[in-house]
Amino acid sequence: MDFTKLNVEFANMQNTITKYNNILNEIKNRIKNNLRDISKYETKIKNTKNNLEKESYKILVISLKNETSFLENIIKEDEQNERETGVTKTV
């Protein structure tokens, strides 16, 4: 029996899962960096006297919070899909 085609398909699946896990790690790192930046900018908002600078930081914080919320929703949706299908994506 020739398993060459099956081996190729399995290798393709492993590559896809590896890429998926890398993307998931990038998303989690981005969330972590955003939270760190949010904290940094909120501290700057409290410490600055310049109103224009405060407003700029507030806009930046709002933007980072929205991006973080979006990325967290992606992860939650993925985890929910894993629970529903019973499929785990680790190799």
Side-chain angles (χ1 to χ4, degrees), residues 14-61:
Q14 285 181 314
N15 288 336
T16 302
I17 291 170
T18 301
K19 288 177 185 178
Y20 167 82
N21 287 333
N22 289 339
I23 290 171
L24 200 58
N25 285 334
E26 286 180 28
I27 290 172
K28 289 178 181 178
N29 287 336
R30 182 65 183 235
I31 289 171
K32 189 170 78 173
N33 290 339
N34 282 355
L35 293 174
R36 187 179 316 124
D37 288 344
I38 289 169
S39 176
K40 178 177 70 173
Y41 290 128
E42 285 177 341
T43 301
K44 287 185 178 188
I45 289 170
K46 293 176 186 174
N47 293 334
T48 188
K49 304 276 189 225
N50 186 339
N51 285 335
L52 181 60
E53 195 174 346
K54 276 185 182 183
E55 291 302 316
S56 297
Y57 288 139
K58 285 179 182 178
I59 291 171
L60 205 58
V61 167

Side-chain angles (χ1 to χ4, degrees), residues 78-89:
D78 183 60
E79 288 172 354
Q80 182 180 4
N81 286 342
E82 280 184 17
R83 274 187 246 116
E84 288 175 359
T85 60
V87 176
T88 56
K89 298 173 182 93

Side-chain angles (χ1 to χ4, degrees), residues 30-31 34 62-72:
R30 182 65 183 235
I31 289 171
N34 282 355
I62 290 169
S63 174
L64 288 170
K65 284 182 178 180
N66 287 337
E67 180 182 0
T68 302
S69 174
F70 173 74
L71 294 173
E72 287 173 342

